[in-house]
Amino acid sequence: MALLQLSEPGQSVAPHQQRLAAGIDLGTTNSLVATVRSGRAETLPDLDEQHLLPSVVRYTEEEVIVGEQAKACMVSDPLNTISSVKRLVGRGLEEFNSLGGQLPYHFTQEQTLVPRIKTASGDVSPVEVSSEILKVLAKRAEKTLGGDLEGVVITVPAYFDDAQRQATKDAATVAGLKVLRLLNEPTAAAVAYGLDTGSDGVHAIYDLGGGTFDISILRLNRGVFEVLSTGGDSALGGDDFDRVIAEWIMRQAGISDGTDHKVLRRLMRDACAAKEALTDSPVASLDLDLGNGARWQGQLTRDQFNELVDPLIRKTLAPCRRALRDAGLSGADIADVVMVGGSTRTPRVRELVGEFFKIPPLVDIDPDKVVAVGAAIQADVLVGNKPDDEILLLDVNPLSLGIETMGGLVEKIIPRNTTIPVARAQEFTTFKDGQTAMAVHVLQGERELVTGNRSLARFELRGIPPMVAGAARIQVTFSVDADGLLSVEAMEQSSGVRASIEVKPAYGLSDTEIETMLRDSIEHARDDMEVRRLREEQVDAKRVIEALEAALAEDGARLLNETEQEQVKTALAELMEVAEASDHKKIRKGIEKLEKTCEFYVERRMNASVQKAMSGHQLDEFE
Amino acid sequence: MGVTLTEAAANHVLQYLEGRGKGVGIRLGVRTSGCSGMAYVLEFADESSDEDLIFEEHGVKVLVDPKSMLYLEGTELDYTREGLNEGFKFNNPNAKDACGCGESFNI
């Protein structure tokens, strides 16, 4: 039988309804996957109890190998073994070449926009390499959880640009994963430390990973993280620590730059091992195979190491200072400093960062896992596995979203302050007999009339089968995804014809504009209500008038004598006149009066149609 | 006879309760749903109600409402590992058959 996990009170899911989600930290050096089980977020190990998956992919002629096994071949097969691919994702050829000089791969130099890497199994793009890593992690999660993943949250550096974010999403798509959201790494780290449930305050997230450095200043305001400023260096990380050690060794051992790939790889690997050893011990021994049977032996002390990496660590403090200045803050305003990334294990890093912010940094959660843990918590929330009162207020849509209805009115479909992602549907119908198309006008704002709101998009639903007015059932669905992208779909239920559109509602709206729109709606609340009532009655009057005119044209002469026809037409003309006025009560009365006047006509029409339906049939057919 | 917990299950429950920071124990129950009639409920319990039957084993309070008890009499809750997947398992002598996935069962 299936294995179960503990749920929150009242939150047990029905069988087959459990929504599995995972958080993925797609890192430069290592990647991780984490999930929430029985209320606890933890990273998931593979069968060898390894949590970290080296972000290394090896392409051979037969297969693709990811992780530790691929990493082991970095020395023996450097050209087909791709590491640190995150540095290349979403980059253009120019940036590629500037970075490519540091990387031992052969790039194709064709005039394509996306450069590709030559490997034994053909040319591959960075997106494809990333997707191989994602596939392995997703498979691990699915095996661990015993089911398919509903979706994943993937973390990206705070200042990844649109191209890099899109490329990351593309990689997930290639891997067959649904991205619930791309989450900024610093926000994920803050969520992992539960800073989102603490008191409001400003936090600094210092993330020194393998290949990138990020500093982010976040402000928690009523449960929502606001990124005040970010800074960093997208080409600075633990790899650079390795490189300065390697360069130091090269100087000590008298190795020249022109040495072949394999020796350089080995050198980098030994440098990395020395760095890791120096976290716990004051001295690291080195024993290097230089090829051709030659060896070099030596020692690196922590003091020497500190001296080597100090310039690099200080290079991270300049962006910290800038980020604080951008946020208009000083070091004293920072409530917590969260340490993220394996390189923050280096004691010297903790020391200098603590000195800079004048508080001891938070280091309780494994700095390699903290981002994945935060992503898993977020994924769990986004997939809907949390009780309502515990939902993190992640993002809300700032203004209501709706569509235009008859009379220039706005029907709100998603009210403002709804947490996203969200999907809401509402049914609409046709206004005229035989209407085969409907215009959908998507609006944003709080006012009752179209004119007071912001028009986002328009599209038409065509091919509605001809029916009498009010018979068609057109379902309009609004969904806003976690990235704030709105999609609107209109579908006629009986025929299944549909049309849809996508828009970015927040695009181009500043906070002040949103505020003005909100204030207007409050100031004009009463006027808006009056106008709405008037328009509604006008629309109703128009509907009655049109229906009556259609009826008269069809059978007025047959069912009514001349006096009666005159009577109906007079009443009709009266309503037409009243409908032009701006008093909704009068219009209502006019409609009621007309309906009363025409009661006998409606009755006759009913009888006539019943007779028509029954004529030519035997009575017993109706029993 | 009531319901019982294996030591492995109790240890995990205690860990999870500690991580959660609140709760008096766990609640076991059954609900009518799923593809084969009944589904198990396994939740943290923040409070017990008067009619709850309470069992205590290996330091864990297990709450069961009397209606569910009819279906759970003699059940043992275990914690096991199957490959990479691990979790709680109901060993219920009353269950006659289960759907293919085992997430729901019949008496």
Side-chain angles (χ1 to χ4, degrees), chain A residues 82-158:
Chain A
I82 321 288
S83 64
S84 298
V85 73
K86 190 174 174 181
R87 288 189 170 198
L88 304 175
V89 156
R91 298 287 187 103
L93 193 60
E94 251 170 60
E95 297 156 305
F96 239 63
N97 286 339
S98 70
L99 287 165
Q102 306 162 15
L103 297 165
Y105 310 127
H106 291 163
F107 298 100
T108 57
Q109 296 287 345
E110 282 121 46
Q111 60 277 44
T112 62
L113 273 174
V114 182
R116 301 173 74 86
I117 304 163
K118 285 182 184 167
T119 74
S121 69
D123 299 344
V124 294
S125 73
V127 166
E128 286 164 329
V129 178
S130 298
S131 85
E132 294 297 339
I133 300 168
L134 289 173
K135 271 185 217 166
V136 171
L137 292 171
K139 205 166 175 191
R140 185 193 293 181
E142 289 183 344
K143 273 196 179 154
T144 307
L145 298 173
D148 289 344
L149 287 177
E150 178 110 338
V152 293
V153 167
I154 301 177
T155 59
V156 289

Side-chain angles (χ1 to χ4, degrees), chain A residues 204-245:
Chain A
I205 318 295
Y206 181 98
D207 180 353
L208 190 58
T212 52
F213 167 66
D214 277 322
I215 178 74
S216 314
I217 311 291
L218 305 182
R219 176 162 63 202
L220 179 70
N221 190 8
R222 279 172 298 164
V224 183
F225 279 111
E226 188 188 347
V227 179
L228 292 181
S229 60
T230 63
D233 190 330
S234 56
L236 174 66
D239 294 354
D240 300 286
F241 286 18
D242 299 348
R243 190 156 39 249
V244 293
I245 299 175

Side-chain angles (χ1 to χ4, degrees), chain A residues 26 52 67 77 85 190 271 296 300 332 353 449 460 486 527 537 552 556 604:
Chain A
L26 186 60
L52 291 173
D77 188 16
V85 73
W296 177 82
L300 180 64
V353 171
L449 293 183
E460 271 183 24
L486 168 72
D527 304 349
E537 296 299 357
L552 283 173
R604 273 184 219 173

Side-chain angles (χ1 to χ4, degrees), chain A residues 4-5 7-8 10 12 16 144, chain B residues 20 43-44 85-86 88 101:
Chain A
L4 301 172
Q5 305 294 333
S7 310
E8 284 297 309
S12 281
H16 312 290
T144 307
Chain B
R20 188 166 171 266
E43 295 174 349
F44 291 109
N85 191 0
E86 51 185 302
F88 294 94
C101 63

Side-chain angles (χ1 to χ4, degrees), chain A residues 151 285 292 320 546:
Chain A
S285 309
N292 317 323
C320 291
E546 286 192 6

